[in-house]
Amino acid sequence: NLKQMPKVSFLNILLKIHFIWLGGGNFDKQSLICVNSAKRILSNYQIVIWTEKNLDLEKIANENKFLRECLKRKLWAFI
């Protein structure tokens, strides 16, 4: 029943975009274009870029077999 649903304000939604870049290499041209476009167009959003430097992949992989296998095989697109 829609009348029983709580009203959600747009202000309650966190304005964050998470971008994950793994593999240790530099950003490719297309990824840089996307991130920079998001920063420019969605200036009220916080852009969070996750890499091996700020993400404890070892800890997560110890708890997640799928992630562990993806890391082992360097299947970055599946992480």
Side-chain angles (χ1 to χ4, degrees):
N1 189 345
L2 292 177
K3 291 181 181 179
Q4 295 173 350
M5 299 278 296
K7 290 187 179 182
V8 177
S9 167
F10 178 73
L11 298 175
N12 291 337
I13 298 172
L14 294 177
L15 301 178
K16 279 188 182 181
I17 297 174
H18 295 272
F19 184 83
I20 301 173
W21 187 262
L22 301 174
N26 293 328
F27 288 94
D28 61 41
K29 183 178 178 180
Q30 188 64 41
S31 297
L32 284 173
I33 290 170
C34 290
V35 170
N36 288 330
S37 293
K39 286 179 180 179
R40 187 181 73 254
I41 296 167
L42 304 169
S43 60
N44 56 330
Y45 281 70
Q46 178 186 358
I47 308 292
V48 181
I49 300 176
W50 297 96
T51 67
E52 291 92 337
K53 293 179 182 177
N54 62 355
L55 188 59
D56 191 350
L57 289 175
E58 186 176 326
K59 179 182 179 222
I60 299 168
N62 286 334
E63 300 169 359
N64 186 300
K65 183 178 179 180
F66 179 78
L67 177 64
R68 186 169 49 249
E69 284 299 313
C70 289
L71 289 171
K72 179 178 158 185
R73 299 170 191 225
K74 298 182 180 183
L75 299 172
W76 310 122
F78 295 97
I79 297 177

